[in-house]
Amino acid sequence: MSNLILGPRPKLKSIPSLNTDVIFTLLKPEEASPELIGIAARESGKQWVHFPLDAREHDSHLSSLKEWNQAAELLASFLSVGSIVYLHCAAGIHRTGTLAYLYFRHQGFSHAEAKEKVFELRPIIQEQIGNKLEIMNEMLIGSASTQ
């Protein structure tokens, strides 16, 4: 069993029953009142992390890779101590899948292995953004060659 759970924006009334220690929210402030998720999480004894990421920025902007890497490192900090993390954006597909992929790459997984892990955790991601992970992989390769 993985300590990383991928999904859509949780319904506020479902937050107390989520089997998780941390709710990691990727929503921008103007999307569906993410602060309400934080209130419900804290009232349920869960930790809430709000790391807003733009859904479109990961597609082709190498400059945004730094922000995505920071989010992956923060996610890793919770998972490395055994916390169960519920990672979500609005639909739990694009930003969620991309960040999970990047997290696995940071953990040393190959491109293919990272994709497989993400698709296992949330199969709909494969149908929706499989090709966008190819773009992220190219960004990672480009970033490594410029360092």
Side-chain angles (χ1 to χ4, degrees):
M1 180 177 136
S2 174
N3 281 4
L4 180 59
I5 303 166
L6 309 181
R9 179 188 193 277
K11 294 187 181 339
L12 297 177
K13 64 184 176 188
S14 73
I15 289 175
S17 63
L18 286 175
N19 181 26
T20 184
D21 304 308
V22 179
I23 297 177
F24 200 109
T25 300
L26 303 175
L27 298 170
K28 300 287 276 181
E30 60 273 11
E31 290 181 274
S33 304
E35 68 280 355
L36 296 178
I37 296 168
I39 292 167
R42 287 189 290 273
E43 287 176 353
S44 303
K46 300 174 189 325
Q47 189 168 356
W48 182 58
V49 175
H50 186 209
F51 201 109
L53 291 172
D54 192 311
R56 295 171 301 271
E57 285 186 8
H58 70 27
D59 287 347
S60 61
H61 297 89
L62 190 57
S63 62
S64 70
L65 187 57
K66 180 177 180 183
E67 187 176 20
W68 284 86
N69 281 328
Q70 290 171 340
E73 290 167 8
L74 183 58
L75 177 60
S77 73
F78 290 106
L79 293 168
S80 69
V81 296
S83 295
I84 300 171
V85 178
Y86 184 84
L87 175 63
H88 77 93
C89 54
I93 297 171
H94 295 92
R95 287 169 283 184
T96 298
T98 301
L99 184 56
Y101 167 82
L102 193 54
Y103 161 75
F104 288 119
R105 291 301 306 272
H106 279 237
Q107 299 308 302
F109 287 76
S110 71
H111 170 62
E113 292 167 335
K115 281 184 11 179
E116 183 177 323
K117 287 292 287 181
V118 171
F119 299 160
E120 283 174 16
L121 291 173
R122 188 149 164 79
I124 193 169
I125 292 172
Q126 183 172 9
E127 300 166 22
Q128 298 289 322
I129 68 158
N131 63 330
K132 290 187 181 190
L133 297 182
E134 303 301 326
I135 295 168
M136 180 58 80
N137 185 54
E138 292 301 317
M139 289 172 62
L140 288 171
I141 293 168
S143 173
S145 68
T146 60
Q147 292 179 2

